Amino acid sequence: MTYEGTEPLVLWSLDAEGEKQMILIDGVIEANTADRGTFDGESMWWPANPAPHGLEVEGDGVWELSVLPVSSAPPLASEGRGTRVFLYDGEGGVITGSRADTAVGMAVTEFSLPRSGGTPKNVVTTPSADAEFGLDLAPGPSVLIVSHRDEWTINLTDEG
């Protein structure tokens, strides 16, 4: 989703009655955007919740939104910028990374996808206030959300 306005962006999933279910993007959180009137990133509906019947955009600006299946997310990248969704099918283990902007935190959230089907599980959420960080990932397949407002790197060769 991209957004430019003067007020923070909030993207909600809605249930069948049109009631707000969960926040998918929260531009009020400083870690997601340096300028609360802009956003350029990705989010994911958490499949353990009931499927959304709609979306509601709160903000005062121009926005563009694309809805894609999570299976279209790219493999975990070694570098990026902003909040992004990735697929991970590695062996798991410790992975290191770094970021230049330490004025705000960064989080990597991993959702394990059981090979036998069933409900995905939130395996680990790793917040970090340090410029360099370590992540202990579960073996894939999983979906990862990297949340930070600026550039970041992840060293994919650390696995094991």
Side-chain angles (χ1 to χ4, degrees):
M1 180 168 197
T2 60
Y3 169 77
E4 287 198 34
T6 60
E7 295 294 321
L9 165 72
V10 180
L11 177 64
W12 291 89
S13 66
L14 304 177
D15 65 16
E17 288 79 41
E19 297 295 320
K20 294 175 180 174
Q21 250 181 321
M22 67 182 285
I23 293 176
L24 300 174
I25 297 173
D26 189 349
V28 176
I29 298 174
E30 195 176 4
N32 288 336
T33 180
D35 176 355
R36 293 180 182 201
T38 66
F39 183 82
D40 181 0
E42 301 167 349
S43 184
M44 182 185 95
W45 157 73
W46 173 231
N49 290 336
H53 286 263
L55 300 171
E56 182 177 313
V57 177
E58 291 179 2
D60 67 349
V62 177
W63 53 269
E64 185 175 330
L65 172 69
S66 299
V67 178
L68 304 167
V70 74
S71 60
S72 69
L76 180 59
S78 61
E79 60 184 34
R81 180 182 183 90
T83 300
R84 301 289 178 224
V85 176
F86 297 101
L87 299 177
Y88 175 73
D89 202 19
E91 297 177 13
V94 176
I95 293 176
T96 60
S98 63
R99 62 192 173 86
D101 184 352
T102 58
V104 296
M106 175 177 172
V108 177
T109 305
E110 181 179 22
F111 299 99
S112 176
L113 303 173
R115 293 187 188 273
S116 59
T119 303
K121 296 178 185 164
N122 183 350
V123 177
V124 62
T125 299
T126 306
S128 178
D130 300 323
E132 295 184 7
F133 55 89
L135 310 171
D136 191 9
L137 298 179
S142 59
V143 176
L144 285 110
I145 300 175
V146 179
S147 301
H148 185 53
R149 70 182 189 188
D150 205 353
E151 295 177 0
W152 47 263
T153 62
I154 294 176
N155 184 352
L156 301 176
T157 60
D158 288 351
E159 285 186 89

